[in-house]
Amino acid sequence: MRILDRYILSRFLFNFFSSFVILMFIFIFQTIWLFIDDLAGKGLDIVIIGKFLFYLMPNLTEKVLPLTVLLSSILTFGTLAENYEFAAMKASGISLQRSMLSLIIFIVFLGGVTFYFANSVIPASEQKIYNLRRNIAKVKPAVAIVEGVFSDFEGADMNIKVDRKYGENDRFLENVTIHLKTKTKKNSTVIKAKTGELKSSESSDILQLVLYDGHYYRDLEKSTTKGKNTYPFANADFDTYTMNIDLSEFNNVDMDEERDISTEKMKNVSRLTKDIDSLKHDNLRIVGAFAKNIQTRIGAFIETKKDSLLIPELAAQKAKLKKVENDSIKSDTILSRNDVINLFQDWQKVQVITAAKTNASNLLTSIQGKKNELDKRYEIYNRHILALHKKFALALSCVILFFVGAPLGAIIRKGGIGLPMVIAIILFLTYYFIGVFAENYAKKNEIHPIVGAWLSTMIMLPLSIVLTKRATADRGLMNLDGVVEFFQKIFKKKEKVTT
């Protein structure tokens, strides 16, 4: 039996490592294609590009490793079944589960290694990628400009947005919008131009940003209160406007410089657990404080402090107030809001209605603004829960996909790269896209983030159980005979009824 275990394990390990290398090679080329616009033609050193791709490799294992386990298990057991080696095992009294024993031990060990990898290596690589991309952006300002969004120029106190970059080294810009910041980090100046151009030379520490056919707007600061109330500003149209940006600080950038900045992908389990608890309490505190603020503004649900010495007096006052209310209801019943308005004189009605509309509009604006803020905060909270559970789901997915691939290979009885590769890709794409959609829904709080992290894995779990049972009973992938017999019985009943 030990010889059999070694034989099956060696076949699986060969398929596993060869599949892993091939798939990693494919995904690396896909990554190069995705980042080719940011890396190619920017004058970056080959060592920097190599570091960037090296730091991306651990992140790719989240996709490569489950697909590798699925493909290698189908290849191994499909080849054994195709060569009638399984038939010989069953004739010798060796069941499918017994033949899978050595591989089950290896896959469980692989799941533990995967969890360690997701908990330690991937967060560290994410931190390295983040710092390296920021340092590249500082050395090559054109890389820092992302089409369609505002991008910060660190050290230049400005951010810039362009609709399109083109030309050699992306030097030409289209539809440029620039915000210049004051010492207090306020956006006091806005510059818009139809086109722009980045001009620089290797011997100069000055980057020239030349703008064409644009408009300049700036808020002017006044020291007196009267001057501030007039909101003074300056604006002008221009044909050509040149901005000089000092790059002396940028050219002394250390590419290995580290910053203490972390997102949910850069944290391990212990850090995520602490941050999830902190984010939850902060969100509840903010919601509670905002609710009390709204209650105070509208004058509703005002709590009164209870005093045991005043309880008899309060009870007596409440009884008197209740009697007065009952008498007023009998004499003058208020049926609608119009009855309330009619209590005021004509010149007061307009003031009351205007004040009510203004208060309601202000409240709705405050609520909408706070809702947008809370949506962002809860999205961060959901991302942390997703990141925590995805570490465990990734490790378990390797085990479950093995129990999908191994019995499936024994059922289809086909080895090689053809049919097993097609089936593995179809199953993996189903698993992957379900996970992507569930993750996006969870980030927007449309489903619980725990469900979003585990949904694709839990869908594969019953499939693995069904396939293992069918492979153990030596049954096919689909029992078409049973379906045919079912329809034959139905047609026979119809014939008897017609006769």
Side-chain angles (χ1 to χ4, degrees):
M1 295 301 294
R2 290 183 178 178
I3 297 175
L4 178 63
D5 290 337
R6 291 176 182 174
Y7 173 71
I8 295 176
L9 182 60
S10 62
R11 293 287 296 271
F12 179 84
L13 290 177
F14 174 78
N15 290 325
F16 178 83
F17 287 111
S18 58
S19 301
F20 183 82
V21 171
I22 294 172
L23 291 173
M24 182 62 75
F25 187 75
I26 293 172
F27 276 90
I28 287 175
F29 265 93
Q30 181 202 21
T31 303
I32 294 174
W33 181 259
L34 290 175
F35 290 97
I36 191 69
D37 291 337
D38 292 334
L39 299 177
K42 300 297 189 300
L44 297 176
D45 188 82
I46 190 66
V47 176
I48 302 300
I49 298 177
K51 281 185 178 181
F52 185 79
L53 296 176
F54 178 75
Y55 293 148
L56 277 175
M57 287 177 62
N59 198 22
L60 296 177
T61 56
E62 292 183 343
K63 302 171 187 169
V64 174
L65 201 56
L67 180 57
T68 302
V69 172
L70 182 62
L71 179 60
S72 57
S73 57
I74 293 177
L75 286 173
T76 301
F77 285 85
T79 303
L80 292 174
E82 185 181 19
N83 296 333
Y84 298 101
E85 292 174 283
F86 264 135
M89 293 180 196
K90 291 179 180 179
S92 303
I94 301 173
S95 63
L96 176 66
Q97 286 83 357
R98 178 61 189 84
S99 63
M100 293 167 59
L101 181 60
S102 58
L103 296 184
I104 292 173
I105 296 173
F106 172 75
I107 291 297
V108 172
F109 172 75
L110 180 65
V113 173
T114 304
F115 174 75
Y116 172 79
F117 205 80
N119 189 44
S120 301
V121 179
I122 293 178
S125 68
E126 286 285 345
Q127 184 78 40
K128 292 286 187 179
I129 292 171
Y130 179 84
N131 290 323
L132 184 58
R133 293 189 70 177
R134 286 179 64 93
N135 293 335
I136 290 174
K138 290 176 69 176
V139 174
K140 303 294 179 181
V143 182
I145 302 175
V146 181
E147 294 180 352
V149 298
F150 279 101
S151 305
D152 285 328
F153 266 78
E154 292 193 11
D157 289 332
M158 61 177 285
N159 54 43
I160 181 172
K161 186 185 81 168
V162 300
D163 288 351
R164 190 166 74 94
K165 300 186 298 181
Y166 60 97
E168 183 183 359
N169 294 332
D170 289 338
R171 58 181 292 190
F172 297 107
L173 312 175
E174 188 175 292
N175 290 334
V176 184
T177 302
I178 297 174
H179 289 169
L180 298 180
K181 302 176 183 178
T182 62
K183 294 181 180 180
T184 57
K185 301 300 181 182
K186 291 183 179 180
N187 292 333
S188 62
T189 304
V190 179
I191 304 172
K192 294 179 69 71
K194 291 184 179 180
T195 57
E197 182 181 359
L198 292 169
K199 295 182 179 180
S200 63
S201 63
E202 295 182 359
S203 59
S204 175
D205 288 334
I206 300 297
L207 171 70
Q208 282 191 341
L209 175 57
V210 183
L211 304 175
Y212 304 101
D213 192 10
H215 183 78
Y216 178 97
Y217 175 90
R218 179 183 177 186
D219 287 324
L220 299 178
E221 297 183 2
K222 293 290 185 179
S223 58
T224 62
T225 305
K226 184 178 180 180
K228 291 180 180 179
N229 292 335
T230 59
Y231 300 102
F233 65 92
N235 63 352
D237 295 325
F238 59 84
D239 295 326
T240 303
Y241 184 82
T242 303
M243 300 177 61
N244 293 323
I245 303 173
D246 187 7
L247 298 180
S248 58
E249 180 184 352
F250 298 164
N251 293 332
N252 295 322
V253 174
D254 181 10
M255 283 296 176
D256 296 324
E257 179 186 357
E258 299 289 338
R259 296 174 182 83
D260 189 18
I261 300 175
S262 61
T263 62
E264 70 278 357
K265 292 183 179 180
M266 305 176 190
K267 301 174 183 177
N268 56 22
V269 170
S270 60
R271 177 71 182 275
L272 282 170
T273 305
K274 293 178 182 178
D275 290 349
I276 288 171
D277 186 63
S278 300
L279 288 169
K280 180 179 178 181
H281 284 88
D282 287 344
N283 291 342
L284 292 175
R285 177 182 56 80
I286 292 172
V287 171
F290 182 70
K292 288 182 179 180
N293 182 30
I294 294 296
Q295 291 174 11
T296 303
R297 290 173 63 179
I298 64 177
F301 311 111
I302 298 176
E303 297 181 0
T304 56
K305 296 182 179 180
K306 296 181 179 180
D307 191 341
S308 59
L309 298 175
L310 299 177
I311 287 177
E313 296 180 7
L314 289 173
Q317 290 179 2
K318 286 182 179 180
K320 289 180 181 179
L321 289 172
K322 189 173 183 180
K323 184 178 179 181
V324 172
E325 289 176 358
N326 292 333
D327 293 339
S328 63
I329 290 173
K330 291 178 182 179
S331 60
D332 185 13
T333 303
I334 297 175
L335 299 176
S336 66
R337 60 187 178 186
N338 291 329
D339 295 332
V340 177
I341 293 297
N342 291 330
L343 295 175
F344 298 91
Q345 297 181 13
D346 291 341
W347 64 273
Q348 292 176 320
K349 291 179 181 179
V350 177
Q351 295 180 356
V352 171
I353 294 173
T354 303
K357 286 183 177 179
T358 303
N359 290 335
S361 177
N362 292 337
L363 284 173
L364 289 175
T365 303
S366 300
I367 292 171
Q368 185 62 42
K370 184 60 69 173
K371 178 181 179 298
N372 295 335
E373 178 190 343
L374 288 173
D375 285 343
K376 293 179 181 179
R377 294 186 67 90
Y378 273 99
E379 182 175 348
I380 296 173
Y381 173 70
N382 291 336
R383 285 175 178 271
H384 278 70
I385 297 177
L386 270 171
L388 175 64
H389 285 271
K390 280 180 68 176
K391 296 181 187 299
F392 297 97
L394 178 63
L396 187 61
S397 66
C398 294
V399 179
I400 292 177
L401 289 177
F402 169 76
F403 282 100
V404 171
L408 187 60
I411 290 173
I412 63 176
R413 299 176 182 178
K414 197 72 175 175
I417 299 297
L419 182 61
M421 175 69 81
V422 173
I423 295 175
I425 291 175
I426 292 173
L427 286 174
F428 176 75
L429 288 178
T430 304
Y431 162 83
Y432 178 73
F433 282 117
I434 290 174
V436 170
F437 285 120
E439 183 177 343
N440 291 335
Y441 281 120
K443 289 177 182 177
K444 300 301 180 182
N445 209 27
E446 295 181 8
I447 61 174
H448 197 279
I450 295 179
V451 177
W454 288 96
L455 183 61
S456 57
T457 305
M458 291 300 102
I459 288 177
M460 288 295 170
L461 179 60
L463 179 62
S464 66
I465 296 173
V466 171
L467 289 176
T468 303
K469 286 185 177 180
R470 296 189 73 87
T472 303
D474 201 12
R475 299 167 64 184
L477 190 60
M478 292 185 295
N479 189 5
L480 297 178
D481 294 336
V483 177
V484 173
E485 291 176 1
F486 175 75
F487 283 104
Q488 286 178 347
K489 289 179 181 180
I490 293 177
F491 286 117
K492 286 180 180 179
K493 288 181 181 180
K494 289 183 178 180
E495 291 176 357
K496 290 180 180 180
V497 172
T498 53
T499 56

